[in-house]
Amino acid sequence: MSQMPQQAALPKCPSCAEPVEPGDLYCGACGYDLSVVPAAPQDQQDHPTLTMTGSGTPGSGTAGDGTPGDGTAGQASGVRFDRPAEPDEYPLQAPDPRLAAGAPAPADPAQVCVACRAGHVDGDGYCENCGHAQPRERDHVERESGPVAAVSDRGLRHHRNEDAFAVGHTALPDGTPAAVAIVCDGVSSATRPDDASLAASQAAGDTLLAALPRGTHPQQAMHEAIVAAAQAVNALAEEPATAREHAPHQNAPACTIVGAVVTPGLLVVGWVGDSRVYWVPTDRGAPPARLTEDDSWAAQMVAAGLMSEAEAYADERAHAITGWLGADAYELEPHTASFKPDRPGAVVVCTDGLWNYAETAEEMSEVVPADAAARPLHSARVLVGHALDGGGHDNVTVAVLPFPAPPQGAGSA
């Protein structure tokens, strides 16, 4: 590695006393015109002890090449600040070959662990020193679109958030507003459940927002959205045959889905799995309702009359689902239903991460804020907080929609 030359003792500016180079025309500190200052007498000159090219004899007044040093420009060596650099005196540094055209830029510094502040984070998001999982983008997500809002949180026990959602609003062909919410819960026992829920929610949301403005009936649009979501999840399982040779026991990605479409006079829900939709009237004197039926072992036991609801959901097999989206699902059976509420209220779309702590419609009504229809984002935050306060054993995702759908331009508070 090359080194910078040592600096010699230099003459001083007569104005500011800052050191100047022999041959400088102007002081680099104060701009004083050094050309009008006569050269100091030989016995008063401050000669350098070491030059750029060699060492002169102290008191000899010679430059490194042995020529007399008279303080004039061009003879003494030194940096010139008063004119452009000359290639012979100041060779330019060679360009960094890493920054040449087509060459990759230098890698970013390694991410440091947020827990121990010492270890580097590996490609899977874990600290190589303490093993702590680093925060992920999906650990906590909040979003609102017009009158609908949703919040998703990793919870307190899981290492990642396998839930996903999509919210949006649009207008029907007659100009009336429509709000949309889709919530998906990845099946933890499946491969890549987080990818499955994300693909399903995006596909279903996009399908609804494309179909409703074309005039497709909301209930038919919901059916098409669930089919599109299933196809998106199925596509995740399409991989080369050799891929399973290394992991032959992996099953296909899978998730549940639930959604709602709200218009000024109609409420449509659709689902596959055990995520739910609840109806909570603004007038809490009116009865709330659960608008979906779980595709689960517990629901089958209750429907067959073999157990009461309390007995079935107390069983350890209660949450075993009998319907899901995924390439290894038995068959796709989208459930849809439409309602025409006779009063205003809030629609709560959620995963079991919430309803485990407010299972019945009455329990859900008690924890939904009274102003949920007017403040959906705030209400979704409150409901997620309720689940976390209850233990946060699962990922929790909640979307809140007001009914009837407010005019375009209305938002959350």
Side-chain angles (χ1 to χ4, degrees):
M1 182 176 67
S2 61
Q3 297 180 348
M4 293 294 292
Q6 298 180 3
Q7 295 296 322
L10 302 175
K12 297 180 180 180
C13 171
S15 174
C16 66
E18 287 294 318
V20 295
E21 291 283 352
D24 283 355
L25 300 181
Y26 296 93
C27 174
C30 69
Y32 188 83
D33 186 357
L34 300 177
S35 64
V36 301
V37 179
Q42 186 71 17
D43 59 351
Q44 296 181 12
Q45 286 188 358
D46 188 3
H47 298 288
T49 58
L50 182 65
T51 65
M52 299 277 289
T53 56
S55 58
T57 303
S60 66
T62 59
D65 57 359
T67 58
D70 60 0
T72 59
Q75 298 297 326
S77 58
V79 181
R80 299 290 300 273
F81 296 102
D82 59 312
R83 62 180 182 181
E86 298 176 6
D88 291 340
E89 296 180 45
Y90 319 112
L92 298 177
Q93 182 181 0
D96 188 340
R98 297 173 299 176
L99 302 181
D108 293 334
Q111 181 182 349
V112 178
C113 175
V114 299
C116 69
R117 294 291 181 182
H120 290 164
V121 179
D122 63 21
D124 294 327
Y126 292 88
C127 176
E128 296 175 345
N129 180 49
C130 68
H132 190 88
Q134 305 301 295
R136 294 176 171 86
E137 182 180 1
R138 288 173 62 179
D139 280 358
H140 186 87
V141 183
E142 298 186 359
R143 192 166 299 136
E144 62 179 333
S145 178
V148 57
V151 176
S152 182
D153 193 272
R154 177 171 59 91
L156 304 179
R157 303 297 180 89
H158 285 248
H159 71 283
R160 66 181 175 187
N161 190 357
E162 297 172 356
D163 289 356
F165 67 83
V167 293
H169 66 288
T170 185
L172 304 179
D174 61 0
T176 56
V180 170
I182 295 290
V183 169
C184 296
D185 184 356
V187 177
S188 296
S189 59
T191 304
R192 298 163 59 196
D194 52 334
D195 291 339
S197 62
L198 183 61
S201 61
Q202 290 179 339
D206 291 345
T207 300
L208 283 172
L209 294 176
L212 292 173
R214 293 198 303 260
T216 305
H217 188 278
Q219 191 165 354
Q220 177 61 31
M222 179 62 75
H223 181 93
E224 295 175 359
I226 295 175
V227 171
Q231 293 172 345
V233 178
N234 292 348
L236 296 177
E238 297 176 359
E239 53 189 11
T242 55
R244 298 227 173 201
E245 294 178 1
H246 304 288
H249 303 295
Q250 288 187 351
N251 50 10
C255 69
T256 68
I257 186 171
V258 66
V261 176
V262 172
T263 71
L266 188 66
L267 165 59
V268 170
V269 300
W271 74 98
V272 173
D274 63 349
S275 294
R276 296 179 176 180
V277 178
Y278 290 85
W279 162 249
V280 180
T282 301
D283 178 7
R284 297 304 166 89
R290 173 155 63 98
L291 306 182
T292 57
E293 293 291 337
D294 298 344
D295 289 322
S296 68
W297 179 90
Q300 285 189 343
M301 294 299 102
V302 174
L306 300 177
M307 289 183 175
S308 68
E309 187 170 5
E311 291 173 335
Y313 281 99
D315 193 283
E316 61 181 8
R317 296 165 291 181
H319 289 280
I321 57 175
T322 58
W324 62 89
L325 306 182
D328 58 358
Y330 299 120
E331 59 181 322
L332 179 62
E333 295 184 2
H335 311 293
T336 61
S338 61
F339 304 89
K340 293 185 177 180
D342 60 357
R343 66 196 67 208
V347 180
V348 178
V349 184
C350 64
T351 61
D352 58 350
L354 171 63
W355 66 253
N356 278 333
Y357 302 99
E359 189 168 326
T360 68
E362 290 72 22
E363 291 172 336
M364 185 64 71
S365 178
E366 291 177 0
V367 297
V368 172
D371 58 353
R375 304 177 65 193
L377 179 58
H378 167 76
S379 300
R381 290 169 176 163
V382 169
L383 293 173
V384 168
H386 175 76
L388 298 180
D389 290 343
H393 288 266
D394 199 357
N395 306 146
V396 53
T397 300
V398 183
V400 178
L401 307 88
F403 180 89
Q408 292 279 3
S412 177

